[in-house]
Amino acid sequence: MSIRSLIAASRSRHALAAATISQATSRAHQHACVPPLLSGLGPLARAFSSSAAVADVNSGVRVMEGQILPNVYSKGYSTLLAPANEALIPPELLSSKTVWTPDRELGQYEDLVARVTNFHNEDNGFMVLDGDVFDVPIRKDIVHRVVRWQLAKRQQGTHSTKTISEVSGTGRKPYKQKGTGRARHGTLRGCQFRGGATMHGPKPRSHAFKLQKKVRRLGLKIALSARTAEGKLCIFEDLEVPSHKTKNIVQYIKQMDDTKKVLLVDGGDIDKKLKLATKNLHYVNVIPSIGLNVYSILQHDTLVMTRDAINRIVERMHTPISR
């Protein structure tokens, strides 16, 4: 087949696809249909949502399986309302995994209503989460700065090397200045000799650096908002356990969905029975609300907080910064 015939065939396929999309657009506007939800914001989702090529299921206009769409590419997105026998988008462009789409826009500083439970999954009412603490826009740069500040501040900085005045050894000149044919030396404790000193080596110091309080406070708000948006923030009435047995905590954690590592946050002092029950579990950690920090939140995929802990955190976030 010649090059001209290949170009003509390609143009005809593109024209057929364009006609199909325009027909779907006209019928979609005629029936006043709403495009189905597309999970993700990739090029494919933007193309279909903007051109209204995805019509209502009742309108009878669908892009059939196997039909080629021009200049449309997607990776890792799929529809939520696709029928079983017919696909709104060609199946070769979709992944088998359905991605959850939030029903609202995140980071709008809106107050949230959350369900309050306990270890036995009993209903204990509801609680309002302040939007300026649990619904702030996600900024990775702020979280990165806070984590670096935390890790640098907790470094021990006990590294130390010996200078030429600290190395043990004689201060005598090893041999005379001239006549030996060797390089001139005045001591055997220099850095060029075995067992000698270390030049420009590390000395005990602090690796901490300053970070503004408002940035540190914003980092904690972002971490809390991220766990809330993921649905990984659980609110308990309290953290009371019947006994200090570890098997009770193991059973409670197994009841949680998709939980690998849990951080329990209580308002005041940690209960002695809870501390003993979680002491032997590497995937469960308990801290008071005063010790809640960004790095600990990021290390655990599930965050469990009590009412008292949330109230104390919100009060701490609303306290004016002392300058």
Side-chain angles (χ1 to χ4, degrees):
M1 186 178 291
S2 62
I3 297 178
R4 292 184 178 180
S5 59
L6 289 174
I7 295 175
S10 176
R11 288 179 178 177
S12 63
R13 287 197 300 269
H14 283 274
L16 178 61
T20 304
I21 293 179
S22 65
Q23 182 181 4
T25 304
S26 61
R27 294 192 181 183
H29 287 292
Q30 181 179 358
H31 291 272
C33 63
V34 179
L37 293 176
L38 295 178
S39 56
L41 298 175
L44 183 62
R46 288 196 297 269
F48 275 89
S49 61
S50 61
S51 63
V54 184
D56 187 27
V57 177
N58 299 325
S59 65
V61 181
R62 300 181 180 90
V63 181
M64 305 301 293
E65 294 187 55
Q67 188 169 351
I68 301 176
L69 299 178
N71 301 328
V72 176
Y73 174 76
S74 175
K75 181 180 180 182
Y77 300 104
S78 64
T79 58
L80 296 179
L81 302 177
N85 53 354
E86 293 180 345
L88 296 173
I89 303 175
E92 61 268 16
L93 298 179
L94 300 178
S95 65
S96 59
K97 182 179 179 181
T98 302
V99 184
W100 173 76
T101 302
D103 54 353
R104 68 178 189 88
E105 189 175 355
L106 304 177
Q108 298 299 312
Y109 301 96
E110 297 177 353
D111 292 343
L112 308 175
V113 179
R115 178 171 173 260
V116 181
T117 60
N118 54 17
F119 281 121
H120 302 284
N121 200 21
E122 298 174 350
D123 193 4
N124 287 290
F126 297 90
M127 184 176 186
V128 178
L129 304 178
D130 290 46
D132 57 347
V133 178
F134 293 91
D135 189 30
V136 302
I138 305 301
R139 289 188 55 184
K140 295 182 180 179
D141 58 323
I142 297 295
V143 176
H144 177 257
R145 290 177 61 185
V146 177
V147 170
R148 283 190 64 250
W149 170 76
Q150 280 190 238
L151 297 182
K153 191 175 180 63
R154 77 176 190 177
Q155 275 190 262
Q156 292 183 355
T158 55
H159 38 53
S160 179
T161 55
K162 291 185 177 182
T163 62
I164 194 170
S165 62
E166 298 170 341
V167 175
S168 62
T170 178
R172 169 180 171 272
K173 187 175 176 66
Y175 46 81
K176 62 180 183 179
Q177 183 80 355
K178 294 178 176 296
T180 61
R182 302 175 63 184
R184 51 196 177 189
H185 291 292
T187 178
L188 293 178
R189 296 183 297 176
C191 59
Q192 68 270 38
F193 293 108
R194 178 179 177 272
T198 300
M199 299 304 296
H200 309 294
K203 281 291 184 181
R205 68 180 180 92
S206 173
H207 292 265
F209 57 88
K210 291 184 178 180
L211 187 65
Q212 295 89 337
K213 291 182 180 179
K214 61 180 180 180
V215 177
R216 286 144 48 183
R217 180 174 291 187
L218 180 59
L220 184 57
K221 291 180 180 180
I222 293 173
L224 293 173
S225 300
R227 287 292 175 262
T228 305
E230 295 169 353
K232 290 294 187 177
L233 174 63
C234 302
I235 304 176
F236 283 9
E237 186 67 29
D238 50 47
L239 297 179
E240 293 183 1
V241 290
S243 67
H244 65 282
K245 292 294 184 180
T246 305
K247 62 181 181 181
N248 296 330
I249 299 297
V250 173
Q251 183 180 0
Y252 298 151
I253 300 303
K254 284 183 179 179
Q255 296 175 358
M256 299 181 181
D257 297 333
D258 299 332
T259 299
K260 296 182 179 179
K261 203 170 183 181
V262 184
L263 179 63
L264 305 176
V265 183
D266 203 351
D269 297 334
I270 305 301
D271 184 34
K272 186 177 181 180
K273 291 188 294 185
L274 179 63
K275 189 182 299 185
L276 293 175
T278 59
K279 188 176 181 180
N280 200 30
L281 297 176
H282 67 277
Y283 55 88
V284 180
N285 292 309
V286 186
I287 60 174
S289 60
I290 193 65
L292 185 63
N293 58 87
V294 176
Y295 189 65
S296 297
I297 295 176
L298 297 181
Q299 279 189 317
H300 301 78
D301 60 350
T302 302
L303 180 62
V304 178
M305 301 180 65
T306 62
R307 280 182 184 266
D308 188 21
I310 290 181
N311 291 331
R312 295 194 183 197
I313 290 295
V314 172
E315 182 182 0
R316 194 171 87 191
M317 294 295 104
H318 291 168
T319 303
I321 298 176
S322 58
R323 303 186 181 278

